[in-house]
C-alpha cells in the first residue's frame, strides 16, 4: 500500500497558558519532546548553579553557624545536601549517556517536586536562622536568599510551576520569618520581594512559551516535511515524473529510484554525471541549446524536450528546473522534475505524419504538396530556373476498385506509389492528391527532363500489377500524364495547377495512356468547353436542340424497319455543335438526364405517327442508366404517346454493362420488364465478352462501322470478325446491324456475311422527323 495511504498522524498541539505551565499535555511524541527539552535545559544549567549554591550554603553556614544550634539546621541542610548530591550524580550520568530527548509527565512532575523540595529546604533554613540573627545578619541572609532564589529560578526558567513554587516558598519564608519590628519588616521590602518574584515568574512564563512555540514550529515543519516526502515518494511511485537535483556545475546530485529506472542505469553511475552528457547533441536542436544556456547562466527552464539515447532506443525527456540558493543567497544548483514524453512525442509525430502524408501510400498528401508547390514556384520565378509539375491519373483504376473490391484498390495504389518512387529521383516531391490522382513536383525542370520522366511513368505504370489476392496474376491499369512548366507555362501555383490539369485532360480526351505538355491551344479548348457548358444549360429551353432520324434497313429486302434517333445542337453563334463535343459535357454536368428524357419523349412522339412495324432506337448514357427513376419516366412516355414498348429499342455500350453496378442492373431489369428491346452498341470495340450478352436481354448487336470499313477495304480478316459476330448473335437468337454501310459493295458484303440489318448513308443520311415520317408513309403533322 502506498505511503499516501498512511500519512503522519496529526497530534493536538494547542498552545495556551495551561500547556505553558505543564497542564493539559498528553504523552504523545510532541509533548514528550517538549518536556524532555525543558528538563535538558534544566540539566544544562545545573553545573553552574549547583556550584554557586554550594558556595552560598557553605558561606551561610560559616557566617551564621553559632547563631542557632546545628540540630535546628540539620534537617534542612540534609535535604539540600541530598538534592545537590542527587543532581550532581544525575548530571554526571547524563554526560555518559547523553540527555534523553523525551520525558514522561511523571518524570517531569517528579523533577518539579524536587525543585519544590529544594526551595522548601531553603525556606526551612530561613525560618531557623532569620529570627535569631541581628538586623545586619538578617539583611545578609535575605540577600543570599535572593541569590539562591534567582539561581534556582534561572536554572528552572523553562519550568514555570517550579519557578512559581521556589519564589513563593523562599520569598514567603523571607517575609514571614522576619520577627516583628525588624528593620526589614517593612512594606517596601514586601513589595520588592513580590516584584522580584513576579519578574522571575514572568520571565519563566515567557521563556517557556517561546520555547514551546519554537518546538511546535519545528514539529510542524518536520511533519510538513514528512508529508512532502511521502507525497514525493507517491509522486514518483505512481507517476511518470521523477525528481531532479543538480549542483552548480550541472552535475546530478540526487538520483531517485524512478530516475534510475527511466535512465536504465545504476544510481551510482548517474551521481556526479553532467546532465548534458545524457543528451544527444546531434538531435537536441533548440531545446538542448536552451538547456545548456539555462544551466550555464543559472536560469530557470521549463518543459524543454530533449533526446536521450538509451542503447538502441531514443527516448525524449521533458525537463523543468529552478535555481536553488543556500541561506546566504548563493547559487547552489538546480531542483526540478523530469518526465518521459517519448510516447507523447511519437503520437505527435504520427499526427503530424497523418497531417502531411498519405496514410495509405506514405507519399506527401495534398496539404504538404501545396506547401511545396508554393515554395517551388516562388524559387523558380525568382531565380528564373524552370520547375515542372506532373499530374498522373490512373486510367482503369475504377474498374479494378469496383471489380475486385477496395482492398485490391488499396493494394494497387500502394504498388503505384512504389513504382513512382522508383522512377522519380532527386529532390522531386511525389504526392497522392486523392483517389487515383498523383502529383510530382520537379524543382529542376529544365530541358527535356520532365518529358522523359513523364514517358517513363507512362511506361512503368503500363506494366501489369500483381494482384495475388484477386486470383489473377496481374491487372493492367495504365496511366495518363499531363505536365506544365514554370515560369514558361505559368507563374503562380494556381495557374501551374490549371495548366497541368488541362494537359492531363487533353491526354484523357485523346485516349489515355500517354503524356502531354501543356500548350496554349489547350487553354483555348478549355475556354471553349466552359462556354459550351454554360450555353448547354439553356439550350433545351431555348429550343436549340433537335433530333434527326437515320433509317435502319432490312438486309434481305431493303425495307425500312426502324430509325435511330440522333441528337443535334444548333448553337445560335457557333453553329452546329458535333455530338462528340457536347454529349460528354452533358454527361459530366448531369444535363444528359433532362436532355435524354426530352429525346425519348420526342422520339416516341414521332414514332406514334409511323407504321406499327417501324421501331425507334434511342442511345442511353451511363449517367441515365444509373438513374433508378428512368424506367418510370420511360413507361410514362410510352403511355403518353401510346407506343407499344416493343417498338422502343435502347442502345447501350458494353462498358456500361461490364461495370456491373447494382443500380444499373436494377434499371436493366425494370426496363426489360416493361418490354423494351436492347441493342448492344459498338460491339467489337471493347471487351467483346460473351458474358456481356448474358447480363441483359439484348435483341440486337450493332457491329461498329470500323469493321465494315476495314472489311470493305482489306477483306478477309475484318470479314471473318463480322462473320464471327453474326454467328454469335444467331446462336443467341439476336439480330445484327452493320453500321457505316455507305456503298453498295459494303452493303452486299454485310448481307453476304449474314447481317440482318444495315444502317448508313447508302440508305439515308440523318434526316428531320418530317422527312423520316414521309419516308415510311406516316402522318407528318406534329
Amino acid at each position: 500500500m502506498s505511503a499516501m495511504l498512511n500519512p503522519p498522524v496529526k497530534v493536538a498541539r494547542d498552545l495556551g497558558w495551561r500547556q505553558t505551565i505543564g497542564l493539559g499535555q498528553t504523552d504523545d511524541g510532541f509533548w514528550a519532546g517538549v518536556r524532555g527539552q525543558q528538563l535538558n535545559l534544566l540539566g544544562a544549567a545545573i553545573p553552574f548553579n549547583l556550584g554557586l549554591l554550594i558556595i552560598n550554603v557553605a558561606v551561610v553556614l560559616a557566617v551564621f553557624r553559632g547563631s542557632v544550634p546545628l540540630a535546628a539546621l540539620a534537617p534542612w541542610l540534609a535535604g539540600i545536601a541530598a538534592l545537590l548530591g542527587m543532581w550532581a550524580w544525575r548530571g554526571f550520568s547524563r554526560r555518559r549517556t547523553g540527555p534523553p530527548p523525551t520525558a514522561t509527565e511523571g518524570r517531569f512532575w517528579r523533577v518539579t517536586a524536587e525543585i519544590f523540595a529544594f526551595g522548601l529546604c531553603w525556606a526551612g533554613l530561613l525560618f531557623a536562622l532569620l529570627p535569631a540573627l541581628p538586623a545586619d545578619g538578617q539583611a545578609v541572609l535575605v540577600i543570599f536568599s535572593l541569590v539562591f532564589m534567582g539561581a534556582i529560578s534561572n536554572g528552572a526558567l523553562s519550568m514555570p510551576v517550579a519557578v512559581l513554587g521556589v519564589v513563593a516558598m523562599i520569598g514567603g519564608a523571607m517575609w514571614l520569618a522576619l520577627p516583628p519590628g525588624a528593620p526589614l519588616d517593612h512594606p517596601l521590602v514586601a513589595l520588592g520581594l513580590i516584584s522580584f518574584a513576579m519578574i522571575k515568574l514572568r520571565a519563566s512564563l515567557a521563556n517557556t512559551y517561546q520555547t514551546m512555540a519554537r518546538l511546535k514550529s519545528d514539529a510542524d515543519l518536520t511533519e510538513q516535511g514528512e508529508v512532502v516526502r511521502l507525497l514525493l515518494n507517491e509522486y514518483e511511485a505512481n507517476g511518470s515524473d521523477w525528481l531532479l537535483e543538480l549542483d552548480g556545475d550541472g552535475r546530478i546530485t540526487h538520483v531517485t529510484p524512478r530516475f534510475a529506472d527511466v535512465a536504465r542505469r545504476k544510481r551510482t553511475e548517474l551521481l556526479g554525471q553532467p546532465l548534458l552528457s545524457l543528451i544527444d547533441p546531434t538531435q537536441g536542436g533548440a531545446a538542448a541549446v536552451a538547456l545548456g544556456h539555462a544551466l550555464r547562466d543559472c536560469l530557470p527552464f521549463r518543459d524543454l524536450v530533449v533526446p536521450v539515447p538509451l542503447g538502441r532506443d531514443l527516448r525524449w525527456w521533458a525537463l523543468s528546473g529552478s535555481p536553488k540558493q543556500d541561506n546566504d543567497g548563493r547559487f547552489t544548483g538546480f531542483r526540478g522534475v523530469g518526465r518521459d514524453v517519448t510516447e507523447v512525442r511519437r503520437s505527435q509525430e504520427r499526427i503530424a505524419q497523418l497531417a502531411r502524408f498519405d496514410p495509405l501510400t506514405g507519399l506527401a498528401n495534398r496539404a504538404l504538396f501545396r506547401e511545396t508547390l508554393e515554395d517551388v514556384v516562388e524559387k523558380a520565378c525568382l531565380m528564373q530556373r524552370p520547375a515542372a509539375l506532373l499530374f498522373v491519373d490512373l486510367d482503369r483504376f475504377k474498374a479494378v476498385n469496383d471489380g475486385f473490391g477496395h482492398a485490391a484498390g488499396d493494394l494497387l495504389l500502394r504498388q503505384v506509389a512504389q513504382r513512382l518512387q522508383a522512377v522519380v529521383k532527386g529532390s522531386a516531391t511525389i504526392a497522392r492528391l486523392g483517389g487515383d490522382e498523383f502529383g510530382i513536383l520537379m524543382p529542376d525542370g529544365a530541358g527535356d527532363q520532365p518529358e522523359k520522366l513523364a514517358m517513363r511513368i507512362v511506361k512503368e505504370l503500363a506494366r501489369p500489377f500483381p494482384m495475388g489476392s484477386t486470383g489473377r496474376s496481374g491487372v493492367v491499369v495504365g496511366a495518363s500524364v499531363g505536365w506544365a512548366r514554370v515560369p514558361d507555362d505559368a507563374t503562380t501555383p494556381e495557374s501551374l495547377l490549371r495548366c497541368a490539369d488541362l494537359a492531363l485532360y487533353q491526354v484523357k480526351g485523346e485516349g489515355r495512356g500517354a503524356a502531354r505538355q501543356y500548350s496554349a491551344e489547350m487553354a483555348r479548348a478549355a475556354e471553349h468547353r466552359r462556354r459550351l457548358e454554360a450555353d448547354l444549360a439553356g439550350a433545351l429551353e431555348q429550343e436549340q436542340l433537335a433530333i434527326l432520324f437515320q433509317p435502319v434497313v432490312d438486309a434481305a429486302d431493303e425495307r425500312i424497319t426502324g430509325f435511330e434517333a440522333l441528337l443535334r445542337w444548333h448553337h445560335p453563334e457557333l453553329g452546329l455543335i458535333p455530338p462528340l463535343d457536347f454529349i460528354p459535357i452533358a454527361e459530366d454536368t448531369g444535363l444528359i438526364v433532362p436532355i435524354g428524357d426530352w429525346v425519348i419523349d420526342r422520339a416516341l412522339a414521332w414514332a406514334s405517327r409511323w407504321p406499327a412495324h417501324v421501331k425507334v432506337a434511342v442511345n442511353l448514357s451511363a449517367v441515365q442508366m444509373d438513374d433508378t427513376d428512368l424506367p418510370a419516366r420511360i413507361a410514362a412516355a410510352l403511355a403518353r404517346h401510346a407506343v407499344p414498348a416493343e417498338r422502343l429499342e435502347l442502345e447501350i455500350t458494353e462498358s456500361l454493362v461490364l461495370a456491373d453496378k447494382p443500380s444499373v442492373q436494377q434499371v436493366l431489369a425494370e426496363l426489360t420488364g416493361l418490354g423494351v428491346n436492347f441493342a448492344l452498341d459498338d460491339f467489337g470495340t471493347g471487351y467483346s465478352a460473351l458474358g456481356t450478352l448474358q447480363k441483359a436481354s439484348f435483341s440486337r448487336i450493332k457491329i461498329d462501322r470500323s469493321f465494315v470499313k476495314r472489311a470493305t477495304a482489306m477483306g478477309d480478316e475484318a470479314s471473318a470478325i463480322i462473320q464471327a459476330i453474326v454467328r454469335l448473335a444467331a446462336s443467341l437468337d439476336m439480330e445484327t446491324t452493320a453500321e457505316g454501310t455507305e456503298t453498295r459493295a459494303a452493303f452486299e458484303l454485310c448481307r453476304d456475311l449474314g447481317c440482318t440489318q444495315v444502317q448508313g448513308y447508302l440508305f439515308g443520311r440523318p434526316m428531320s422527323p418530317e422527312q423520316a415520317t414521309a419516308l415510311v408513309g406516316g402522318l407528318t403533322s406534329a
Side-chain angles (χ1 to χ4, degrees), residues 58-132:
V59 171
V60 169
L61 290 176
V63 173
F64 302 116
R65 65 179 180 278
S67 301
V68 293
L70 184 60
L73 300 178
W76 313 113
L77 291 174
I80 291 174
L83 288 171
L84 289 175
M86 181 177 63
W87 289 347
W89 176 83
R90 192 178 291 164
F92 179 75
S93 299
R94 187 185 299 113
R95 286 187 177 182
R96 289 184 302 168
T97 62
T102 60
T104 63
E105 284 190 278
R107 179 167 172 258
F108 176 81
W109 288 115
R110 282 196 301 272
V111 174
T112 301
E114 292 172 3
I115 298 173
F116 274 21
F118 198 71
L120 183 61
C121 290
W122 190 268
L125 288 176
L126 290 175
F127 276 106
L129 285 172
L130 274 178

Side-chain angles (χ1 to χ4, degrees), residues 530-540 542 544 569 571 573-574:
R530 282 193 292 272
R531 180 179 181 184
L532 292 183
E533 286 182 7
D535 293 347
L536 184 59
L540 189 59
Q542 297 172 15
Q544 297 174 11
W569 180 16
H571 193 281
E573 297 178 7
L574 302 177

Side-chain angles (χ1 to χ4, degrees), residues 586-668:
E587 291 178 333
D588 291 342
T589 59
L591 291 172
I592 193 65
V593 173
I595 292 175
D597 290 346
W598 177 83
V599 170
I600 292 174
D601 184 80
R602 289 292 84 203
L604 291 175
W606 284 104
S608 66
R609 295 166 173 81
W610 301 338
H613 71 279
V614 178
K615 298 180 178 181
V616 63
V618 178
N619 289 275
L620 289 183
S621 73
V623 178
Q624 290 174 278
M625 288 296 294
D626 202 23
D627 182 3
T628 55
D629 292 333
L630 177 65
R633 296 198 299 273
I634 291 179
L638 289 170
R640 185 165 53 250
H641 298 292
V643 177
E646 60 269 16
R647 290 184 60 195
L648 174 62
E649 186 175 76
L650 300 177
E651 297 185 6
I652 59 178
T653 61
E654 185 178 9
S655 60
L656 191 152
V657 181
L658 275 178
D660 202 20
K661 295 179 64 175
S663 58
V664 173
Q665 297 303 318
Q666 176 185 344
V667 170
L668 282 173

Side-chain angles (χ1 to χ4, degrees), residues 483-484 489 499-500 502-503 506 516-525:
W483 62 279
D489 301 323
C499 291
L502 288 174
Q506 180 74 16
R516 293 287 184 275
Q517 182 184 3
Y518 167 81
S519 65
E521 290 75 13
M522 295 178 185
R524 289 190 289 271

Side-chain angles (χ1 to χ4, degrees), residues 109 127 129 161 222 312 568 598 622 642 652 690 693 717 734 782:
W109 288 115
F127 276 106
L129 285 172
V161 174
T222 301
R312 295 184 178 180
R568 296 291 184 265
W598 177 83
I652 59 178
L690 181 60
L693 302 176
E717 182 180 349
M734 299 180 186

